[in-house]
């Protein structure tokens, strides 16, 4: 534990008196001695700092005046212009008050617990930089080899990831052999073609311009796997939620991705596979599953924004949509208010300019047409090109064509309607054809919000609608 000692004292206070007071109260290691500006030249304080081997810091009267001291003194207020020096100085460091004011004839002290220090600003910036500048890379790879030393550093970072019960359920299959990569490439190509065939024509045109893998363009591929049983029966924290084992493996990939970026290595995650097909090519045992397939190599550049943003395929959601305070739906600004505001102020619409980097993020939407059916029985209504919003209380079978939104009240349905429309706009929708297929209040509210709620914001979001 790291302590801070706040000191208030009369001019000329003998060191022995201050030392005695501090010795009575302080037991741990003192990192910081703090007082009001002007008292730092007092010999007693200087000797105390030297004796403790601590750092001395001062605060001005103004900095101390606002501190919520628990034992204020009128006398100190009159003399020093603040309700107390020792406690206020401790609080001004950001410490938690441990011992309230203690006094001797001429001095007062208080102590506090300092939080463990974070990084210095320049080191912190590097952490945020690598997070912001990590990219999923599929183009511009160089034919340079990746040294074992570099690869080991990257895999060490992955292997340091947190994992449920420290089970470390991952393994890394490092693939350089071209014949193996060709087999994996063939699998990805087949899935790419199948996905392309499932798209409406306008989305397909944009998708055809995208590169979704770099399996043969990179010198190294890494398959990251998960052994869900690793650690045996009593893995701490896994018993109630077995998904945590896959979360752990995914976090290892993120560590790998960040460490690779710091080495100047591009990484592209390919998921155009049925995992079992890749498992068969790599000879994975039946109890081990594929989590991620990564293409790794040196690149000519790292783009400032995701390729899907630059190509106009998708856009980022603003952070404010993702933060709820205390309970679901309590955002700093409601999604509905936000949509209305965006309508009045199209230049600041987060759907148009999401994220913090409006330059590259401001790519135009591809403007696809999406048929949304609100309510009804999703099994009856499923259509290859439609999105069904299911408001029923029972979770439907997993299907990307069915969006489950069991709205608990019409107000919640309104919010879902606006949110769905805005998320579809982020995913490239330009026009919604809205069909109401259920008579409930929730379905009506959701459909109205989906369509008319956006009417106000239509010019801002770039999204239009019509009723089917
Ligand atoms: C689990 C996962 C699977 C992904 N699968 C693919 C993929 O198959 N093909 C592809 O081109 N990008 C894939 N990506 C990359 C995403 O498209 C990319 O992370 C996203 O657009 C954001 O871009 P950024 O990573 O450059 O910030 C995948 C990413 C993740 C996390």
């Amino acid at each position: 534990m790291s302590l801070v000692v706040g000191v208030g004292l009369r001019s000329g206070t003998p060191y022995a008196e201050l030392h005695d007071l501090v010795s009575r109260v302080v037991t741990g290691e003192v990192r910081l001695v703090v007082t009001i500006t002007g008292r730092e030249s007092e010999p007693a304080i200087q000797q105390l700092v030297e004796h403790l081997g601590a750092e001395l810091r001062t605060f001005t009267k103004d900095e101390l005046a606002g501190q919520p001291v628990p034992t204020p003194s009128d006398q100190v207020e009159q003399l020093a212009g603040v309700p107390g020096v020792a406690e206020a100085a401790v609080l001004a460091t950001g410490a938690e008050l441990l011992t309230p004011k203690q006094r001797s004839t001429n001095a007062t002290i208080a102590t506090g617990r300092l939080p463990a220090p974070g990084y210095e600003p320049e080191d912190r910036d590097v952490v945020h930089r690598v997070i912001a500048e990590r990219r999923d890379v599929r183009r511009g790879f160089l034919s340079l080899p990746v040294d074992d030393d570099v690869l080991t550093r990257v895999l060490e970072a992955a292997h340091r990831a947190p994992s449920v019960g420290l089970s470390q359920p991952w393994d890394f299959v490092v693939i350089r052999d071209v014949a193996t990569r060709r087999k994996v490439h063939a699998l990805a190509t087949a899935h790419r073609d199948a996905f392309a065939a499932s798209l409406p024509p306008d989305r397909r045109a944009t998708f055809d311009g995208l590169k979704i893998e770099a399996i043969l363009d990179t010198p190294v591929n890494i398959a990251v796997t998960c052994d869900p049983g690793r650690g045996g029966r009593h893995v701490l924290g896994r018993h109630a939620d077995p998904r945590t084992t896959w979360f752990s493996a995914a976090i290892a990939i993120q560590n790998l991705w960040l460490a690779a970026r710091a080495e100047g290595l591009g990484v592209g995650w390919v998921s155009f596979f049925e995992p079992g097909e890749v498992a068969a090519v790599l000879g994975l045992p039946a109890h081990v599953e594929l989590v991620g397939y990564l293409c790794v190599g040196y690149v000519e550049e790292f783009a400032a924004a995701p390729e899907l943003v630059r190509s106009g395929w998708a856009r980022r959601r603003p952070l404010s949509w993702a933060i709820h305070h205390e309970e679901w739906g309590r955002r700093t600004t409601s999604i509905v208010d936000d949509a209305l505001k965006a309508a009045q102020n199209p230049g600041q619409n987060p759907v148009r300019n999401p994220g913090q980097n409006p330059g590259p993020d401001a790519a135009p939407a591809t403007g696809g047409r999406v048929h949304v059916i609100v309510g009804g029985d999703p099994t009856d209504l499923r259509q290859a090109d439609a999105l069904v919003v299911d408001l029923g209380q029972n979770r439907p079978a997993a299907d990307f064509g069915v969006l489950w939104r069991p709205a608990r009240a019409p107000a919640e349905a309104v919010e879902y309607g606006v949110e769905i429309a805005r998320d579809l706009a982020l995913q490239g929708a330009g026009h919604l054809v809205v069909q109401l297929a259920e008579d409930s209040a929730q379905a009506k509210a959701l459909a109205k919000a989906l369509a008319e709620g956006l009417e106000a914001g239509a010019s801002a979001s770039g999204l239009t609608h019509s009723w089917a």
Side-chain angles (χ1 to χ4, degrees):
M1 181 169 66
S2 212
L3 293 176
V4 52
V5 177
V7 181
L9 79 182
R10 293 204 180 101
S11 181
T13 300
Y15 172 60
E17 179 188 330
L18 183 60
H19 178 266
D20 192 41
L21 179 60
V22 170
S23 308
R24 267 195 283 133
V25 175
V26 179
T27 48
E29 191 193 331
V30 178
R31 196 168 92 213
L32 205 56
V33 172
V34 283
T35 188
I36 191 166
T37 306
R39 283 287 184 258
E40 65 274 22
S41 50
E42 278 296 314
I45 289 211
Q46 292 197 343
Q47 276 190 55
L48 179 71
V49 167
E50 202 180 318
H51 168 72
L52 295 172
E55 185 194 330
L56 175 64
R57 198 181 299 167
T58 59
F59 292 100
T60 63
K61 201 169 67 175
D62 288 348
E63 286 169 319
L64 298 183
Q67 299 299 333
V69 291
T71 26
S73 150
D74 291 344
Q75 203 188 350
V76 180
E77 177 87 63
Q78 277 166 13
L79 284 170
V82 289
V85 171
E87 288 177 348
V90 167
L91 294 173
T93 64
E96 176 190 86
L97 198 64
L98 190 63
T99 325
K101 187 162 68 181
Q102 309 288 311
R103 62 174 81 245
S104 62
T105 315
N106 298 295
T108 55
I109 66 161
T111 70
R113 264 196 301 199
L114 286 163
Y119 288 170
E120 292 300 319
E122 57 272 25
D123 295 332
R124 210 170 50 213
D125 287 350
V126 173
V127 174
H128 287 287
R129 225 183 95 198
V130 72
I131 290 169
E133 294 179 5
R134 180 210 52 77
R135 279 281 75 77
D136 185 271
V137 190
R138 273 96 62 195
R139 297 174 194 275
F141 281 98
L142 308 177
S143 57
L144 297 170
V146 179
D147 285 352
D148 282 346
D149 284 0
V150 177
L151 197 61
T152 303
R153 279 201 293 272
V154 168
L155 292 176
E156 263 170 4
H159 196 57
R160 265 194 215 116
S163 61
V164 65
L166 198 56
S167 58
Q168 297 177 281
W170 50 73
D171 283 273
F172 308 104
V173 184
V174 178
I175 308 143
R176 297 179 195 267
D177 183 62
V178 178
T180 308
R181 287 191 282 134
R182 283 215 179 95
K183 287 183 200 160
V184 178
H185 183 257
L187 296 173
T189 305
H191 281 281
R192 185 200 160 102
D193 293 347
F195 182 66
S198 75
L199 292 170
D202 40 12
R203 284 302 263 170
R204 169 131 199 201
T206 310
F207 179 70
D208 283 345
L210 290 173
K211 193 157 164 21
I212 54 97
E213 51 77 29
I215 297 166
L216 296 174
D217 312 334
T218 48
V220 183
N221 293 181
I222 302 173
V224 182
T225 62
C226 176
D227 170 1
R230 187 160 296 164
R233 182 170 184 155
H234 301 298
V235 169
L236 186 150
R238 196 184 59 191
H239 62 293
D241 188 351
R243 299 173 309 157
T244 48
T245 194
W246 282 275
F247 300 161
S248 305
I251 298 169
I253 296 179
Q254 177 72 346
N255 269 17
L256 180 158
W257 216 332
L258 293 171
R261 175 63 187 89
E263 300 281 356
L265 282 173
V267 174
W269 184 325
V270 194
S271 53
F272 277 60
F273 304 117
E274 196 282 292
E277 295 172 343
V278 179
V281 172
L282 301 179
L284 301 186
H287 67 281
V288 171
E289 297 176 23
L290 179 74
V291 176
Y293 192 91
L294 311 172
C295 309
V296 182
Y298 290 102
V299 283
E300 53 189 33
E301 64 170 350
F302 290 92
E307 187 175 335
L308 296 192
V309 173
R310 288 180 293 126
S311 64
W313 176 265
R315 301 185 189 116
R316 288 196 184 118
R317 305 181 87 217
L319 174 62
S320 61
W321 295 8
I323 302 177
H324 308 247
H325 296 280
E326 312 304 338
E327 64 180 33
W328 184 267
R330 263 204 240 163
R331 297 175 171 92
T332 307
T333 53
S334 90
I335 280 204
V336 178
D337 292 349
D338 219 24
L340 293 172
K341 239 184 263 158
Q344 289 150 11
N345 200 354
Q348 287 175 10
N349 182 1
V351 173
R352 286 214 157 212
N353 299 309
Q356 294 169 330
N357 192 351
D361 280 354
T366 48
R369 202 180 162 83
V370 179
H371 180 187
V372 189
I373 303 169
V374 180
D377 179 349
T379 47
D380 292 345
L381 290 166
R382 195 168 304 150
Q383 299 178 18
D385 62 342
L387 178 70
V388 176
V389 181
D390 179 354
L391 289 107
Q393 290 311 302
N394 300 322
R395 182 192 293 275
D399 183 330
F400 293 122
V402 179
L403 200 56
W404 186 39
R405 292 292 182 271
R408 289 165 284 195
E412 196 169 58
V414 168
E415 194 172 298
Y416 290 162
V418 172
E419 191 173 18
I420 292 167
R422 305 192 86 183
D423 274 339
L424 289 174
L426 292 177
Q427 287 290 320
H431 183 86
L432 303 186
V433 180
V434 183
Q435 181 183 339
L436 180 61
E438 187 178 301
D439 201 27
S440 69
Q442 262 89 322
K444 283 183 191 154
L446 194 147
K448 195 164 175 328
L450 188 59
E452 292 169 12
L454 269 195
E455 202 166 69
S459 59
S461 66
L463 198 66
T464 55
H465 84 276
S466 53
W467 288 96

